[in-house]
Amino acid sequence: MNAVVKFLRENPVQYLATVGRDGKAKCRPFMFAGEMDGKLWFCTNNTKDVYKDMQANPNVEISVSSPTYAWIRLHGQTVFEDNMAAKEMCIANPIVKSQYGEATNPVFEVFYLKDAYAVIADFTGNPPQEFDL
């Protein structure tokens, strides 16, 4: 878990892929919010298409590469939870706070990845690191 969290924090804008309600792949920039209680947390807005897509099909994959050409692929199922501690953790990010104001904002949603699996790899030829989270 620590290596995955470190990689996501060091590369703050990831790309979240969903299956759209139209059946087509969708990919959007996203930000990792943090790890809490052994879960990887993210946040979004319940009026956005991405929220509606994840409600219809919770299977997602997140990917990002580093400036040194290493990358992570992380997949799992989104679980939305009305978790005030997770919302407070997310809202501590100034970018998130500027969008939602307070953790109690009714459009502000948090989710974690259930049955998450991550692979960190690079072009060195070394075997990738694999993580069941």
Side-chain angles (χ1 to χ4, degrees), residues 84-97:
M84 191 52 68
K87 287 183 176 186
E88 292 291 347
M89 176 184 64
C90 293
I91 210 83
N93 179 318
I95 295 170
V96 176
K97 185 159 184 64

Side-chain angles (χ1 to χ4, degrees), residues 65-85:
S65 62
S66 75
T68 60
Y69 305 106
W71 64 88
I72 191 169
R73 291 179 57 211
L74 168 66
H75 67 261
Q77 293 186 339
T78 58
V79 176
F80 286 88
E81 187 174 286
D82 189 19
N83 183 317
M84 191 52 68

Side-chain angles (χ1 to χ4, degrees), residues 9-65:
R9 284 190 177 143
E10 289 175 351
N11 302 284
V13 179
Q14 300 96 36
Y15 294 90
L16 175 90
T18 63
V19 177
R21 287 162 289 143
D22 61 1
K24 297 179 181 176
K26 309 291 181 199
C27 189
R28 303 161 175 98
F30 243 73
M31 290 177 59
F32 171 63
E35 182 271 331
M36 188 176 70
D37 300 328
K39 298 173 184 172
L40 303 174
W41 289 89
F42 301 84
C43 60
T44 192
N45 176 330
N46 62 25
T47 66
K48 290 184 176 183
D49 284 340
V50 67
Y51 174 82
K52 295 169 187 168
D53 290 346
M54 289 187 287
Q55 290 290 311
N57 184 339
N59 296 294
V60 300
E61 185 161 89
I62 295 167
S63 185
V64 63
S65 62

Side-chain angles (χ1 to χ4, degrees), residues 68-71 120-129:
T68 60
Y69 305 106
W71 64 88
I120 298 175
D122 59 34
F123 290 111
T124 63
N126 292 326
Q129 298 174 312

